[in-house]
């Protein structure tokens, strides 16, 4: 029995050699609910990186949210579409949201949770 074909490495295609695009440059990843979940999970990791504990909630009848443990009170954050963009929102005021792809989003939310 000739196993030589099974032992040959597969040829790499150009697509295999390409580096994946950064998350901020990727197209829509799925349904609105899947995209919302992905943004919240990414925020949870970013907040963890700046020293904030989080809890992700996926209730059956309400909008998914992330709770950032603040020094005074927990801060509830949601991911919401605004036109073609995504934002993180933690209140109703003009200064209580930030673009989900903003590199400073976790720091801004950390500061809001500390108030």
């Amino acid at each position: 029995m000739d196993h030589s074909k099974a032992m040959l490495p597969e040829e790499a295609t150009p697509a295999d050699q390409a580096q994946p695009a950064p998350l901020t440059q990727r197209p829509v990843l799925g349904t609105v609910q899947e995209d919302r979940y992905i943004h919240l999970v990414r925020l949870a990791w970013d907040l963890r990186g700046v020293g904030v504990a989080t809890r992700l909630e996926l209730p059956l009848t309400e909008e998914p949210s992330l709770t950032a443990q603040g020094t005074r009170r927990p801060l509830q954050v949601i991911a919401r579409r605004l036109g073609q963009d995504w934002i993180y929102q933690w209140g109703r005021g003009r200064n209580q949201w930030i673009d989900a792809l903003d590199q400073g989003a976790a720091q801004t939310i950390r500061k809001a949770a500390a108030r």
Side-chain angles (χ1 to χ4, degrees):
M1 183 174 203
D2 184 12
H3 293 284
S4 61
K5 287 186 180 180
M7 302 299 282
L8 293 176
E10 294 182 28
E11 291 184 33
T13 66
D16 294 332
Q17 296 169 353
Q19 295 295 320
L23 181 61
T24 56
Q25 296 175 2
R26 291 182 187 171
V28 173
L29 299 172
T31 67
V32 170
Q33 290 298 327
E34 290 168 336
D35 287 350
R36 178 174 285 123
Y37 172 79
I38 289 166
H39 282 295
L40 290 173
V41 169
R42 191 170 51 79
L43 177 61
W45 278 106
D46 290 348
L47 285 168
R48 185 175 189 260
V50 296
V52 177
T54 61
R55 183 177 67 242
L56 181 61
E57 298 181 49
L58 301 170
L60 293 176
T61 59
E62 297 175 27
E63 191 169 31
S65 65
L66 179 123
T67 302
Q69 300 303 315
T71 53
R72 300 184 64 153
R73 63 180 173 85
L75 183 70
Q76 187 175 22
V77 180
I78 60 171
R80 176 168 282 155
R81 264 184 102 167
L82 185 62
Q84 294 297 317
D85 299 321
W86 282 90
I87 63 168
Y88 296 126
Q89 185 176 6
W90 56 92
R92 296 182 185 254
R94 289 184 197 187
N95 62 346
Q96 294 179 313
W97 67 272
I98 191 165
D99 188 292
L101 300 179
D102 187 311
Q103 295 297 317
Q107 287 291 349
T108 298
I109 292 169
R110 182 186 62 77
K111 289 176 187 174
R115 293 183 193 142

